[in-house]
Amino acid sequence: MNGQNKRINPSGPPPSRPRRRFSMLWIYALLLALLFVPSLFNIGFSGKEITWQQFENDIISRKAVEKIVIVNNEKADIYIKNEFANDPYFKDVLKRSTGPHYFFNIGSVESFERKLDEAQKNFPANEKIIVSYVKKSNWFWTIMSWVLPFIVLFALWNFLLRRSGAMGAGGGGSSIFNFGKTTATLVEKEKSSVTFNDVAGLEEAEMEVREVVDFLKNPGSFTKLGAKIPKGVILVGPPGTGKTLLAKAVAGEAQVPFFSISGSEFVEMFVGVGASRVRDLFRRAKEKAPCIIFIDEIDAIGRSRGKGAFLGGANDERESTLNQLLTEMDGFGTNSGVIVLAATNRADMLDPALLRPGRFDRHIYLELPNLTEREEIFKVHLRPLVIDETIDVHFLASQTPGFSGADIANICNESALIAARKKKEKVGRQDFLDAIDRIVAGIEKKSKIISPEEKKTIAYHEAGHAVVSWLLKHIDPIIKVSIIPRGKSLGAAWYLPEEKQLRSESAFAEHLCATLGGRASEEIIFGEVSSGALDDLEKVTKEAYMMVVYYGFNKKIGNISYYDSSGQRDMGIQKPFSEETGRLIDEEVRKLVDSAYQKAKAILQENKESLIKIAELLLKKEVIFKEDIESILGRRPDDKATAETKSKIVPAITQQN
Ligand code: ATP
């Protein structure tokens, strides 16, 4: 979110805050005064402290003591006879109080009594000082010992309250008093700067949402004909395909306020909070109507009710939040001017009640962009960059199949960072290619310590992938092989796959074969395999299971698919097939993988010389390109990626470890 957005403060601006702070200051000042005033004004003067020597030499010797009171067996309070009021030594203390006039700590009662007896051993019996013993408690500190913990607790509570209050001011409902208030971010109409100009390549989706914009701008032209505008529009698509962007653009174009909230922000630990937040959001939206409410990741609250109940029970809070959302969407009329846009990656998980007409009745599906759409998106994100003449937008789009709009935005930014690091004036084509490599395979880790033996294994592993891929006609054209470690991988092969909607059974089988090419090469050259093929084996196993269990490619299993598009069944827990079928599936998967491995080994045995040449070249150059492989293996059997035809295909990059 940019700096233009602001958080809703559900309780409104806090005008009383300075005054409250002022009154709190008074309370603190009063408490301090209570603590210190008694000592400031000598309230409760309890005598002047003296030592035993002073007491013995100056007071006992003068026979001025009226009495001694031993308090709590700790302190001796000394009272002076009134007749000494004119004695300059006592004048001062006698004026200040009626006693005690002096005090000192006695140590222990025994030693005090001993010393006192000693000091007045020559006194006649009737002149001996009267000593009494009392137990006293200090009322002030007694009260304080009770009150102080409360004061500390109160101050702490007040402090925490203010802190959460301060967060609440910026974070909506994070104050405890705002717990049930919405945490939605509000972008005022004059502040929403995103328009359809910033959205590229989503033509169909854009057309559908334009209707919403038209309604918000000019509702009369629809309502006079008796038309009802959809209350809710749900945007479905993979991450980063521009769902949020499209919703923002609708608000920006329609020039209406935009409430944005994520589905997960409704759900709290306490049941009822989410529902209360939904109510509050709709209440505020109605106040601001016409406006748009955008709920991102709506699946956090909109998941089918009752699903997953066997896994620890239904989620009461989520369900009550969803019920409230359904009620609110029923509650406002079609012409109330509030339109709810929602986004999700998983429409199949949503409760059918949410998707029925009258609620989210319009569904817009966003896909990953194709070549032309990627070109459009690149154009949008190249606008702020300073680029040189080497940049060809079509080429960039052709290098980024399978990338989402968000990935493209990231590449543009990353390439500018790379160019800046190289201290260049303008961003060039190579910076973009480096950015793509970095995003696809991670950052190069040239400093990673790899022994010469390991390097050799990696080179032969990657060469194995390259040779098998090159010689199988259904495998996408290889463009580059590298043994420079990147991200988590030690080496990688880049492909330019055709962007196809359908893949044949033989394409699947050949893909298994190419993926196992690395391990097969290790076995042929070194006689044993390494742990470097973990990623390959994982991919192969998953793909082989998909072939058998989902796509019905296996004769023995037949035309049966255990795929569940509704996402309701967790295959790990609930198998939709019998034990016997399960065993058969395992067997067939094993056979499939074994035959792919044997085929890969056969190809490599046949082309062992080329395999060695490619591996040695890799060890020498670290990165080799299509042309290097072509010079060793000759043209591909069905070369679709020759320079002439390259522009016609829609390529993609994949990576194999
Ligand atoms: P998610 O499902 O993960 O929330 P999303 O579909 O909501 O993702 P956005 O947040 O809209 O994705 O996109 C992220 C960023 O990607 C945008 O801010 C924008 O820069 C860029 N982007 C995505 N799609 C497009 C597009 N069609 N045109 C231009 N930019 C795009």
Side-chain angles (χ1 to χ4, degrees):
M1 281 292 151
N2 57 33
Q4 292 164 330
N5 303 340
K6 72 171 191 199
R7 286 278 185 180
I8 298 167
N9 184 357
S11 47
S16 60
R17 187 166 282 248
R19 177 179 291 210
R20 212 174 128 231
R21 187 161 294 162
F22 188 65
S23 59
M24 280 310 298
L25 267 176
W26 271 111
I27 293 176
Y28 291 138
L30 206 73
L31 286 172
L32 271 176
L34 270 176
L35 279 172
F36 294 109
V37 162
S39 56
L40 279 178
F41 294 98
N42 277 322
I43 295 170
F45 171 70
S46 55
K48 186 177 166 190
E49 187 168 8
I50 50 167
T51 59
W52 167 262
Q53 280 74 22
Q54 284 172 316
F55 176 59
E56 188 177 5
N57 298 337
D58 301 338
I59 303 175
I60 299 183
S61 59
R62 281 185 167 90
K63 296 195 175 171
V65 180
E66 190 187 340
K67 63 174 178 178
I68 297 175
V69 179
I70 305 294
V71 181
N72 297 338
N73 289 346
E74 285 173 356
K75 193 178 128 202
D77 279 344
I78 297 142
Y79 291 77
I80 304 295
K81 289 176 186 160
N82 275 340
E83 63 231 49
F84 284 84
N86 292 329
D87 186 325
Y89 189 87
F90 301 111
K91 215 165 141 185
D92 214 22
V93 285
L94 283 170
K95 237 193 247 166
R96 283 177 78 174
S97 84
T98 51
H101 303 106
Y102 296 97
F103 75 90
F104 59 88
N105 288 319
I106 56 170
S108 74
V109 175
E110 291 79 33
S111 73
F112 167 74
E113 284 173 346
R114 204 170 351 98
K115 279 196 271 179
L116 188 65
D117 284 345
E118 188 70 23
Q120 48 182 357
K121 68 175 181 234
N122 299 326
F123 285 21
N126 60 345
E127 284 180 19
K128 288 213 168 161
I129 302 167
I130 303 162
V131 181
S132 60
Y133 297 85
V134 293
K135 284 237 173 269
K136 255 193 209 171
S137 55
N138 184 326
W139 63 268
F140 180 75
W141 284 111
T142 313
I143 293 172
M144 280 318 261
S145 68
W146 281 95
V147 174
L148 218 71
F150 287 106
I151 295 174
V152 170
L153 275 177
F154 174 74
L156 199 72
W157 178 72
N158 192 47
F159 171 73
L160 290 175
L161 203 70
R162 281 213 214 168
R163 267 185 64 123
S164 62
M167 279 160 65
S174 32
S175 152
I176 55 167
F177 293 130
N178 295 340
F179 211 51
K181 299 281 164 74
T182 178
T183 53
T185 308
L186 169 67
V187 185
E188 291 288 2
K189 63 177 175 193
E190 58 281 3
K191 302 264 176 77
S192 47
S193 54
V194 182
T195 65
F196 286 135
N197 267 347
D198 303 297
V199 185
L202 298 174
E203 245 117 79
E204 287 99 8
E206 213 179 290
M207 257 164 53
E208 290 211 53
V209 293
R210 262 188 201 282
E211 212 171 278
V212 175
V213 176
D214 291 343
F215 172 75
L216 288 167
K217 271 186 167 166
N218 188 10
S221 63
F222 291 84
T223 48
K224 74 175 180 208
L225 296 177
K228 287 182 186 158
I229 203 78
K231 285 184 195 172
V233 177
I234 192 154
L235 301 159
V236 184
T241 40
K243 299 181 290 293
T244 314
L245 189 70
L246 200 60
K248 277 188 191 163
V250 172
E253 289 281 341
Q255 280 296 299
V256 292
F258 178 75
F259 289 88
S260 165
I261 189 166
S262 168
S264 56
E265 282 178 61
F266 288 112
V267 187
E268 278 288 349
M269 209 163 62
F270 310 106
V271 177
V273 175
S276 146
R277 287 185 181 168
V278 171
R279 265 194 307 276
D280 191 54
L281 173 64
F282 277 80
R283 183 184 59 75
R284 295 189 63 82
K286 278 180 222 162
E287 279 168 14
K288 292 257 177 194
C291 72
I292 286 175
I293 296 176
F294 175 62
I295 308 175
D296 206 356
E297 319 292 352
I298 196 173
D299 41 305
I301 46 167
R303 211 169 297 168
S304 269
R305 282 164 293 183
K307 254 181 213 172
F310 72 99
L311 274 179
N315 184 337
D316 282 348
E317 164 61 351
R318 196 164 45 76
E319 288 195 1
S320 73
T321 311
L322 173 59
N323 286 337
Q324 188 61 43
L325 183 62
L326 298 176
T327 319
E328 289 292 341
M329 290 198 72
D330 279 342
F332 69 87
T334 36
N335 302 329
S336 69
V338 179
I339 290 189
V340 188
L341 297 184
T344 179
N345 304 328
R346 303 283 318 263
D348 51 295
M349 299 288 281
L350 295 182
D351 198 283
L354 204 56
L355 300 175
R356 74 144 170 82
R359 289 189 185 123
F360 288 106
D361 36 17
R362 200 154 284 209
H363 306 169
I364 300 177
Y365 291 90
L366 307 185
E367 303 268 324
L368 286 175
N370 62 26
L371 180 67
T372 18
E373 289 165 349
R374 286 197 302 275
E375 260 185 74
E376 296 302 315
I377 300 174
F378 261 113
K379 281 180 196 158
V380 168
H381 292 287
L382 284 175
R383 270 186 226 150
L385 301 190
V386 184
I387 51 171
D388 65 18
E389 62 293 338
T390 56
I391 301 290
D392 171 5
V393 179
H394 177 79
F395 172 76
L396 292 180
S398 72
Q399 296 298 303
T400 49
F403 281 48
S404 66
D407 290 331
I408 293 175
N410 191 15
I411 286 175
C412 291
N413 188 49
E414 192 66 45
S415 59
L417 292 177
I418 291 172
R421 238 173 268 138
K422 291 185 200 157
K423 305 224 176 330
K424 285 165 74 174
E425 292 291 308
K426 288 179 177 174
V427 189
R429 177 188 172 117
Q430 193 52 46
D431 304 319
F432 274 89
L433 292 177
D434 290 348
I436 294 170
D437 280 356
R438 185 178 173 163
I439 284 164
V440 171
I443 193 165
E444 272 190 7
K445 289 185 180 159
K446 289 202 171 176
S447 58
K448 199 167 191 161
I449 299 163
I450 295 172
S451 69
E453 289 79 40
E454 280 177 329
K455 197 110 198 148
K456 201 170 168 190
T457 311
I458 298 164
Y460 274 92
H461 182 103
E462 295 306 329
H465 283 309
V467 172
V468 179
S469 310
W470 191 263
L471 297 170
L472 292 173
K473 73 171 188 178
H474 285 107
I475 301 297
D476 304 308
I478 200 160
I479 52 163
K480 176 168 121 177
V481 185
S482 153
I483 55 166
I484 301 170
R486 267 180 185 277
K488 274 171 28 189
S489 69
L490 298 170
W494 276 260
Y495 296 84
L496 278 171
E498 285 183 69
E499 205 170 84
K500 284 195 271 184
Q501 305 302 320
L502 294 174
R503 275 173 85 194
S504 66
E505 188 187 341
S506 46
F508 266 98
E510 286 191 359
H511 193 250
L512 292 185
C513 194
T515 313
L516 287 167
R519 167 153 283 206
S521 165
E522 285 181 42
E523 195 189 326
I524 289 170
I525 303 295
F526 306 111
E528 71 164 348
V529 290
S530 75
S531 61
L534 175 67
D535 190 48
D536 296 337
L537 298 184
E538 189 189 341
K539 278 187 202 153
V540 161
T541 313
K542 277 190 189 148
E543 204 160 308
Y545 266 101
M546 266 160 57
M547 289 171 74
V548 176
V549 181
Y550 292 160
Y551 295 122
F553 284 158
N554 188 273
K555 296 256 168 350
K556 284 198 183 151
I557 302 294
N559 291 329
I560 284 175
S561 174
Y562 296 104
Y563 183 64
D564 175 28
S565 62
S566 67
Q568 290 185 30
R569 193 174 43 221
D570 185 350
M571 281 266 267
I573 296 161
Q574 242 185 344
K575 292 225 163 42
F577 38 74
S578 67
E579 284 284 309
E580 203 184 320
T581 314
R583 252 195 304 278
L584 189 63
I585 290 171
D586 290 344
E587 215 173 275
E588 290 303 302
V589 165
R590 199 175 297 277
K591 270 193 212 159
L592 208 58
V593 176
D594 279 350
S595 88
Y597 188 62
Q598 293 313 326
K599 189 171 171 189
K601 263 172 63 177
I603 294 173
L604 292 174
Q605 287 286 12
E606 230 172 86
N607 297 278
K608 197 169 169 183
E609 224 172 277
S610 306
L611 173 72
I612 294 169
K613 275 190 194 158
I614 291 175
E616 292 305 318
L617 193 64
L618 256 177
L619 279 169
K620 206 166 107 197
K621 288 169 65 174
E622 290 202 317
V623 182
I624 59 168
F625 295 90
K626 188 187 138 216
E627 295 70 28
D628 299 310
I629 304 172
E630 198 170 65
S631 68
I632 295 169
L633 281 166
R635 283 176 81 116
R636 288 194 74 196
D638 184 13
D639 194 357
K640 291 180 189 162
T642 54
E644 313 85 76
T645 54
K646 200 171 165 184
S647 60
K648 286 189 200 132
I649 63 163
V650 186
I653 289 172
T654 55
Q655 171 207 352
Q656 274 181 338
N657 289 329

